[in-house]
Tab-separated table of all heavy atoms in Angstrom:
chain	number	residue	atom	x	y	z
G	973	VAL	N	7.401	8.995	-18.618
G	973	VAL	CA	8.372	7.995	-18.175
G	973	VAL	C	8.003	7.484	-16.802
G	973	VAL	O	7.843	8.262	-15.844
G	973	VAL	CB	9.788	8.630	-18.134
G	973	VAL	CG1	10.810	7.596	-17.648
G	973	VAL	CG2	10.178	9.126	-19.520
G	982	ILE	N	21.304	5.641	-11.247
G	982	ILE	CA	22.735	5.279	-11.245
G	982	ILE	C	22.951	3.818	-11.670
G	982	ILE	O	24.087	3.471	-12.006
G	982	ILE	CB	23.389	5.510	-9.845
G	982	ILE	CG1	22.683	4.716	-8.779
G	982	ILE	CG2	23.390	7.006	-9.531
G	982	ILE	CD1	23.374	4.768	-7.414
G	1002	THR	N	15.626	21.649	-27.826
G	1002	THR	CA	16.222	22.925	-27.460
G	1002	THR	C	16.217	23.089	-25.929
G	1002	THR	O	17.044	23.822	-25.396
G	1002	THR	CB	15.424	24.080	-28.085
G	1002	THR	OG1	14.040	23.955	-27.674
G	1002	THR	CG2	15.485	24.007	-29.625
G	1010	HIS	N	7.241	14.449	-8.097
G	1010	HIS	CA	7.856	14.807	-6.840
G	1010	HIS	C	7.847	16.335	-6.571
G	1010	HIS	O	8.425	16.773	-5.580
G	1010	HIS	CB	9.242	14.233	-6.746
G	1010	HIS	CG	9.206	12.746	-6.673
G	1010	HIS	ND1	8.992	12.039	-5.517
G	1010	HIS	CD2	9.291	11.794	-7.684
G	1010	HIS	CE1	8.970	10.755	-5.753
G	1010	HIS	NE2	9.139	10.577	-7.070
G	1023	LYS	N	20.962	28.072	-12.818
G	1023	LYS	CA	21.631	26.809	-12.463
G	1023	LYS	C	20.771	26.052	-11.432
G	1023	LYS	O	21.009	26.175	-10.222
G	1023	LYS	CB	23.011	27.076	-11.929
G	1023	LYS	CG	23.942	27.752	-12.933
G	1023	LYS	CD	25.323	28.004	-12.302
G	1023	LYS	CE	26.259	28.655	-13.333
G	1023	LYS	NZ	27.626	28.911	-12.755
G	1157	ILE	N	-5.348	4.461	-23.347
G	1157	ILE	CA	-4.436	5.427	-23.961
G	1157	ILE	C	-4.383	5.181	-25.471
G	1157	ILE	O	-4.453	6.157	-26.260
G	1157	ILE	CB	-3.034	5.296	-23.351
G	1157	ILE	CG1	-3.054	5.847	-21.897
G	1157	ILE	CG2	-1.994	6.048	-24.177
G	1157	ILE	CD1	-1.827	5.507	-21.086
Side-chain angles (χ1 to χ4, degrees):
V973 179
I982 59 173
T1002 57
H1010 293 277
K1023 298 179 179 180
I1157 290 167

